[in-house]
Amino acid sequence: MNRENIADAFRQLQDSICRDLESYDEKGLFRQDIWSRAEGGGGRTRLIENANLLEKGGVNFSAVHGPMPEKIAAALGLPAGEFFATGVSIVLHPFNPWAPIIHMNVRYFCMSHGAWWFGGGIDLTPHYVDAGDAAFFHRSLKEVCDRHDPEYYPRFKQWADDYFYIKHRDETRGIGGIFFDRLDGAHGHTVEERLRFVLDVGYAFAPLYIELLGRHRDRPYGKREKLWQDIRRGRYVEFNLVYDKGTKFGLDTAGRTESILMSLPATARWVYDFQPDDDPEAQRTLSLLRKGLDWVGHEPG
Amino acid sequence: MNRENIADAFRQLQDSICRDLESYDEKGLFRQDIWSRAEGGGGRTRLIENANLLEKGGVNFSAVHGPMPEKIAAALGLPAGEFFATGVSIVLHPFNPWAPIIHMNVRYFCMSHGAWWFGGGIDLTPHYVDAGDAAFFHRSLKEVCDRHDPEYYPRFKQWADDYFYIKHRDETRGIGGIFFDRLDGAHGHTVEERLRFVLDVGYAFAPLYIELLGRHRDRPYGKREKLWQDIRRGRYVEFNLVYDKGTKFGLDTAGRTESILMSLPATARWVYDFQPDDDPEAQRTLSLLRKGLDWVGHEPG
């Protein structure tokens, strides 16, 4: 198992997810941009814009390598050296405000001096929180985790709650999911075993999101719901540009800006001190954007 | 001259600017939020939304004090202590895409152990760069600066070019202006003298922006121009959330989020790898979003 095998596994995952999404969103054809990086490596950015159900999004693969900027190595607590990083990164923004935004990322990182780890996760950002969806989503993630280690789900769920948190709003980005980083060789874990776990997470993505899209794709909406969607999209922008470590890392290392910022929504809106007074569903959502909610044990009403 | 006198001078500046803008934008009434901060001080946020010419903006005053977070003191190269900070901060987003976005800030900062300085600046972000506007704008700022020190304009103009720069896009936010920080007591400068300069900058703001609004307020526009405006607004969001030090400082010190983020536009848009192929004026603008352009010496064509 060398780094090229891992990159190949991620490339196949990207192909598989794109196939599944395209066959579901009949109009949805990905546009592909192949790019390369002067310092080494490159990627396949697959962009979706104005499809049938999806307004904007990307399913990106990259495998890059080169000298590690010293400042970043130091921040990671690592000696200088050459790095290699490969992964699949997805953000999808649906047209219908009743359907959720979703994000998934799986990645592998290693350095010339031998350090290696996997990271990633899936999290859901509903414009309107639906308790049934949230229970389904978290139970599905728990199933994937439990197949590998019963301690994963509780740990990675809390990690997601802490990570996808908009501090200056004191609200979570959405209903969380799982987030993990630095899954390395400690306690006898092998690269093969870690890869099996992240691929399991990766292959869970398409069926999960297609189920959630299907639940809401035909639900009618109006101006009130589109406004709320744009407000929530604004919060998504705030999280990604202020807090997201992947975005920061990408912009700091002069990554490919258009591929990094494909995560941003088509539209967003900021209204001073916005209160959704005429939208009880939005009010309920606001009350549920907090850490520590147990969605697995939740009984959908 | 104590810190309360400076805060009063800034309060009067806020009043004066609001009066001028309101009498020009006839429908434009500011909504005021008075807020206070548990640790000490507060502010007057004056918000404008859906006025006649202005779609969104704020003219904010604040005067806050309290213990300085150690991390921030260290970042400023200062010993710990109590701080006091007061200032006026403005961002205005017009409806008409031919009219520019403008930003102005003047501020005073001091600490219990005696350190003090002023900072601030004015910069312009046209959705479409107009060479005549740019020359008028920069010449006006140069006049203000020259009344105080002939070295100010060239130094502060370059500072603005370097500061209002979106690194990951390799483009400036707009056509710059002036930016300055840490104008302190070095070389015999006094608080009174520094205050006179920043007030001169502050009182230049309203006539300058009213002139620029007047030049474009009735120019017709269509979907193409609104799309480009939203794209440029997206870049404004990127700058403010990724790079702007005032925004970062505010969010890090648990400032009042709604007052800090009043700088964000009502709407913004992100299109993957957007090229304004059918908009020659937008293309020309893109070619002018770079550092080091001499707008004062420019002959309007």
Side-chain angles (χ1 to χ4, degrees):
Chain A
M1 172 74 46
N2 61 32
R3 64 193 213 178
E4 287 311 322
N5 300 136
I6 298 171
D8 275 343
F10 285 160
R11 233 178 249 114
Q12 284 171 37
L13 173 64
Q14 181 196 32
D15 284 337
S16 164
I17 290 172
C18 290
R19 257 195 320 269
D20 287 350
L21 291 174
E22 284 193 329
S23 72
Y24 186 71
D25 187 318
E26 290 131 23
K27 188 180 155 202
L29 290 174
F30 284 95
R31 156 180 169 195
Q32 174 164 284
D33 268 355
I34 305 256
W35 53 274
S36 61
R37 192 173 164 270
E39 300 83 354
R44 303 193 305 203
T45 291
R46 295 223 183 117
L47 233 290
I48 200 158
E49 274 183 319
N50 300 316
N52 188 19
L53 305 175
L54 297 174
E55 184 169 9
K56 185 161 179 279
V59 178
N60 295 349
F61 163 82
S62 66
V64 298
H65 57 92
M68 184 78 161
E70 256 176 64
K71 236 178 73 180
I72 297 172
L76 289 167
L78 295 172
E82 299 274 313
F83 81 97
F84 173 83
T86 183
V88 174
S89 202
I90 306 177
V91 174
L92 301 174
H93 292 277
F95 278 109
N96 194 313
W98 298 109
I101 307 164
I102 197 163
H103 163 245
M104 194 276 273
N105 172 245
V106 288
R107 57 184 182 275
Y108 170 74
F109 174 86
C110 66
M111 286 198 63
S112 46
H113 46 61
W116 65 268
W117 62 72
F118 288 88
I122 307 187
D123 74 291
L124 200 72
T125 305
H127 309 96
Y128 291 99
V129 174
D130 176 297
D133 285 0
F136 164 75
F137 179 71
H138 275 276
R139 284 173 192 163
S140 304
L141 295 178
K142 184 170 184 300
E143 267 176 43
V144 174
C145 288
D146 286 352
R147 287 204 289 274
H148 297 264
D149 187 329
E151 288 181 8
Y152 277 179
Y153 175 76
R155 224 175 102 210
F156 298 164
K157 192 270 185 194
Q158 195 187 321
W159 207 337
D161 277 358
D162 291 336
Y163 183 81
F164 297 106
Y165 176 64
I166 305 172
K167 201 181 155 206
H168 61 270
R169 302 283 188 183
D170 189 21
E171 65 187 33
T172 51
R173 182 167 83 171
I175 58 153
I178 54 172
F179 183 90
F180 48 86
D181 203 5
R182 294 217 182 195
L183 299 188
D184 58 17
H187 309 295
H189 286 289
T190 63
V191 169
E192 287 75 10
E193 192 194 330
R194 295 298 202 187
L195 177 62
R196 272 197 301 275
F197 171 64
V198 300
L199 287 178
D200 242 20
V201 170
Y203 281 97
F205 173 82
L208 246 176
Y209 192 57
I210 286 170
E211 165 66 25
L212 293 171
L213 265 183
R215 291 182 180 193
H216 305 286
R217 53 178 292 173
D218 299 321
R219 183 164 174 190
Y221 56 86
K223 271 180 103 162
R224 184 178 70 172
E225 289 78 23
K226 281 310 268 184
L227 169 61
W228 179 243
Q229 179 179 44
D230 269 347
I231 298 282
R232 297 314 306 167
R233 285 175 170 182
R235 302 294 168 92
Y236 206 86
V237 171
E238 289 177 28
F239 178 83
N240 283 24
L241 296 183
V242 177
Y243 300 107
D244 187 59
K245 284 178 188 154
T247 303
K248 212 171 270 293
F249 178 85
L251 298 180
D252 280 354
T253 54
R256 187 171 182 269
T257 294
E258 287 296 337
S259 299
I260 298 164
L261 298 186
M262 68 85 191
S263 63
L264 301 182
T267 60
R269 195 174 267 276
W270 283 270
V271 174
Y272 176 76
D273 202 16
F274 185 76
Q275 307 294 341
D277 291 325
D278 68 338
D279 190 346
E281 278 296 308
Q283 289 169 34
R284 214 173 58 85
T285 288
L286 278 179
S287 75
L288 296 171
L289 296 177
R290 46 183 222 271
K291 301 182 186 188
L293 296 181
D294 172 17
W295 291 110
V296 165
H298 185 90
E299 290 306 316
Chain B
M1 174 71 47
N2 60 32
R3 64 191 213 180
E4 287 310 322
N5 300 137
I6 298 171
D8 274 344
F10 285 160
R11 235 179 247 113
Q12 284 171 37
L13 173 64
Q14 182 196 31
D15 284 337
S16 163
I17 290 171
C18 289
R19 257 194 321 269
D20 287 351
L21 291 175
E22 283 193 330
S23 72
Y24 186 70
D25 186 319
E26 291 133 24
K27 188 182 156 202
L29 291 174
F30 284 95
R31 157 181 169 194
Q32 174 165 282
D33 269 355
I34 306 257
W35 53 273
S36 61
R37 187 174 170 271
E39 300 84 355
R44 303 192 304 203
T45 292
R46 295 221 183 120
L47 234 289
I48 201 158
E49 274 182 318
N50 300 315
N52 189 19
L53 305 175
L54 297 175
E55 185 170 8
K56 185 161 180 278
V59 178
N60 295 348
F61 163 82
S62 66
V64 297
H65 57 93
M68 185 77 163
E70 256 177 63
K71 235 178 76 181
I72 298 172
L76 289 167
L78 295 172
E82 297 276 313
F83 80 98
F84 172 83
T86 183
V88 173
S89 201
I90 306 177
V91 174
L92 301 174
H93 292 276
F95 279 109
N96 193 313
W98 298 109
I101 306 164
I102 197 162
H103 163 245
M104 194 275 272
N105 172 245
V106 288
R107 59 184 181 274
Y108 170 73
F109 174 85
C110 67
M111 285 196 65
S112 46
H113 46 61
W116 64 268
W117 63 73
F118 288 88
I122 307 188
D123 75 291
L124 200 72
T125 306
H127 309 96
Y128 290 99
V129 174
D130 176 299
D133 285 359
F136 164 75
F137 179 72
H138 274 276
R139 283 172 192 164
S140 305
L141 295 178
K142 184 172 184 299
E143 267 175 43
V144 174
C145 288
D146 285 353
R147 287 204 291 274
H148 297 265
D149 187 329
E151 288 182 8
Y152 277 180
Y153 175 77
R155 223 176 104 210
F156 298 165
K157 192 269 186 195
Q158 194 188 322
W159 206 336
D161 277 358
D162 290 336
Y163 183 79
F164 297 106
Y165 175 64
I166 305 171
K167 201 180 155 208
H168 61 270
R169 301 283 188 183
D170 189 22
E171 65 189 31
T172 51
R173 182 167 83 171
I175 59 152
I178 54 172
F179 183 89
F180 48 87
D181 204 3
R182 295 216 181 196
L183 299 188
D184 58 18
H187 310 295
H189 287 288
T190 64
V191 169
E192 288 74 11
E193 190 193 332
R194 294 300 200 186
L195 177 62
R196 273 198 299 278
F197 171 63
V198 300
L199 287 177
D200 242 21
V201 170
Y203 281 96
F205 173 82
L208 245 177
Y209 191 57
I210 286 170
E211 166 66 26
L212 293 172
L213 265 184
R215 292 181 180 194
H216 303 286
R217 54 177 292 172
D218 298 321
R219 182 162 175 193
Y221 56 86
K223 272 180 100 163
R224 185 178 70 171
E225 289 78 22
K226 282 308 268 186
L227 169 62
W228 179 243
Q229 181 179 44
D230 269 346
I231 297 281
R232 297 314 308 167
R233 285 175 170 182
R235 303 293 168 95
Y236 206 86
V237 171
E238 289 178 26
F239 178 83
N240 283 24
L241 296 182
V242 178
Y243 301 108
D244 187 58
K245 284 178 189 156
T247 303
K248 212 172 270 291
F249 178 85
L251 298 181
D252 281 353
T253 55
R256 188 171 182 270
T257 295
E258 287 296 337
S259 299
I260 299 164
L261 298 186
M262 67 86 192
S263 63
L264 302 183
T267 59
R269 198 173 264 277
W270 284 271
V271 174
Y272 177 76
D273 201 16
F274 185 76
Q275 307 295 342
D277 291 325
D278 68 338
D279 190 345
E281 279 297 307
Q283 287 170 35
R284 213 174 58 86
T285 289
L286 277 178
S287 75
L288 295 170
L289 296 177
R290 45 183 223 271
K291 300 182 186 188
L293 296 182
D294 172 18
W295 291 110
V296 166
H298 186 90
E299 290 307 316

